[in-house]
């Protein structure tokens, strides 16, 4: 997607929302769309009605861009994201992050459902993402959009340490148990084999999924601070087979705790 296409889409959205300027962007993953209920909605746009936007094809991703307030702060939330395995180019997968930046966001919150690799994790745990390992094509391959960021962006601290510290303090106050770890991003759409999970563990992964990393890379290219959270919806090294319906179910169960954390973090931006 070209810079011109990104600008045109941002201009369309700005006109449709009467110049609503969000402070934070939120990407809601599989089974986590319920957080939208925490938003005092001012505008809601279907992806299919937004020029240049792909359309989510995955069950559990509603496909709406929601503008409103959370704890008095202006936000834009993606209720459903796009994935490389749906057949989209990486430029399409990350297109909304570019658009949200032009709309005015100053930080990005990302969430996903993932399979636990760390053997101390349990189904339903919330894992704060401290770093990632990218096993997908890098979304910055191709001509650099110099208007957004440098050719070779640094990825140290790509998950903002200050936001992680804030989440830790809020969780302690609210009695929410957090895990911390490295997220491994793969292409999907197959759930990982046992051998792949063992490989991910050997290279330093704590949880694995099929999203998030491309969006974070593009956000950091634009110097946006990022906070990421995974809901551990299954334990990958167990003998239980992967099941998308169960992933959605576990995501919804953990979504309430994640919602408390996100609301408080947004309130104190």
């Amino acid at each position: 997607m070209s810079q011109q296409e990104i600008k045109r889409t941002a201009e369309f959205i700005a006109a449709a929302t009467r110049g609503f300027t969000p402070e934070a962007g939120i990407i809601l993953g599989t089974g986590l769309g319920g957080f939208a209920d925490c938003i005092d909605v001012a505008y809601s746009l279907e992806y299919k009605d937004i020029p240049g936007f792909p359309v989510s094809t995955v069950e559990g991703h509603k496909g709406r861009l929601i503008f409103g307030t959370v704890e008095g702060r202006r936000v834009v939330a993606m209720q459903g994201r796009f994935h490389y395995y749906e057949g989209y180019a990486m430029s399409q997968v990350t297109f909304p992050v570019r658009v949200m930046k032009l709309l005015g966001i100053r930080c990005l919150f990302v969430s996903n459902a993932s399979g636990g690799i760390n053997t101390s994790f349990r189904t339903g745990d919330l894992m704060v993402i401290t770093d990632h390992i990218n096993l997908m094509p890098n979304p910055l391959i191709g001509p650099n959009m110099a208007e957004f960021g440098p050719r070779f962006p640094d990825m140290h601290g790509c998950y903002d340490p200050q936001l992680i510290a804030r989440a830790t303090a809020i969780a302690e106050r609210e009695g929410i148990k957090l895990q911390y770890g490295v997220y491994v991003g793969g292409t999907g759409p197959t759930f990982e084999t046992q051998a792949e999970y063992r490989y991910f563990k050997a290279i330093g992964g704590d949880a694995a999924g099929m999203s998030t990393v491309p969006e974070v890379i593009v956000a950091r290219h634009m110097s946006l601070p990022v906070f990421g959270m995974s809901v551990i919806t299954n334990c990958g090294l167990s003998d239980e087979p992967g099941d998308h319906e169960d992933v959605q179910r576990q995501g919804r169960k953990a979504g309430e705790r994640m919602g408390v954390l996100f609301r408080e973090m947004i309130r104190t931006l």
Side-chain angles (χ1 to χ4, degrees):
M1 312 293 282
S2 68
Q3 293 183 36
Q4 290 72 25
E5 289 173 298
I6 295 165
K7 288 179 180 177
R8 278 198 296 269
T9 299
E11 288 167 359
F12 171 87
I13 293 171
T17 59
R18 300 183 179 182
F20 187 100
T21 305
E23 301 168 80
I26 307 166
I27 301 176
L28 299 170
T30 300
L32 301 170
F35 181 78
D37 295 337
C38 301
I39 301 173
D40 185 6
V41 179
Y43 303 96
S44 178
L45 304 177
E46 300 286 331
Y47 292 162
K48 63 181 177 62
D49 297 327
I50 303 173
F53 251 64
V55 177
S56 181
T57 65
V58 183
E59 187 178 349
H61 291 251
K62 289 190 175 180
R64 291 185 296 203
L65 201 58
I66 298 170
F67 295 81
T69 56
V70 173
E71 300 291 334
R73 309 308 291 263
R74 297 184 307 278
V75 303
V76 54
M78 290 181 65
Q79 196 174 23
R81 59 150 52 91
F82 313 113
H83 306 80
Y84 184 64
Y85 65 72
E86 293 175 81
Y88 291 122
M90 278 298 181
S91 60
Q92 293 174 294
V93 170
T94 57
F95 181 76
V97 179
R98 300 281 196 202
V99 170
M100 288 192 288
K101 169 68 172 179
L102 290 187
L103 291 173
I105 68 168
R106 300 198 303 271
C107 63
L108 181 68
F109 292 80
V110 294
S111 65
N112 60 57
S114 65
I117 300 168
N118 189 313
T119 54
S120 69
F121 291 178
R122 296 292 176 265
T123 298
D125 279 355
L126 299 179
M127 185 190 88
V128 174
I129 305 174
T130 58
D131 208 340
H132 70 232
I133 297 170
N134 182 29
L135 300 181
M136 294 186 247
N138 193 300
L140 301 182
I141 291 172
N144 183 49
M145 294 187 182
E147 185 176 340
F148 288 109
R151 170 74 282 186
F152 302 107
D154 180 60
M155 296 301 288
H156 281 79
C158 54
Y159 297 87
D160 190 78
Q162 291 183 327
L163 290 175
I164 291 174
R166 186 179 302 171
T168 299
I170 292 168
E172 289 175 353
R173 187 177 72 232
E174 299 292 333
I176 298 172
K177 178 186 175 182
L178 294 180
Q179 304 282 13
Y180 300 83
V182 175
Y183 178 85
V184 181
T187 64
T190 52
F191 286 107
E192 294 78 9
T193 67
Q194 293 289 284
E196 286 169 335
Y197 271 118
R198 290 193 297 270
Y199 167 62
F200 295 164
K201 183 178 181 181
I203 64 174
D206 293 290
M210 308 170 192
S211 67
T212 301
V213 173
E215 297 135 317
V216 173
I217 290 173
V218 165
R220 293 305 302 139
H221 181 240
M222 300 185 294
S223 299
L224 279 173
V226 175
F227 177 78
M229 174 159 283
S230 294
V231 175
I232 306 301
T233 52
N234 62 291
C235 293
L237 290 170
S238 74
D239 292 328
E240 293 295 319
D243 181 273
H244 185 65
E245 288 186 7
D246 192 51
V247 166
Q248 292 184 80
R249 186 161 50 248
Q250 295 295 339
R252 286 191 294 268
K253 285 172 62 177
E256 185 175 339
R257 285 174 288 131
M258 189 195 77
V260 170
L261 197 66
F262 274 29
R263 283 199 308 272
E264 280 299 297
M265 292 186 72
I266 291 167
R267 183 180 66 82
T268 59
L269 281 176

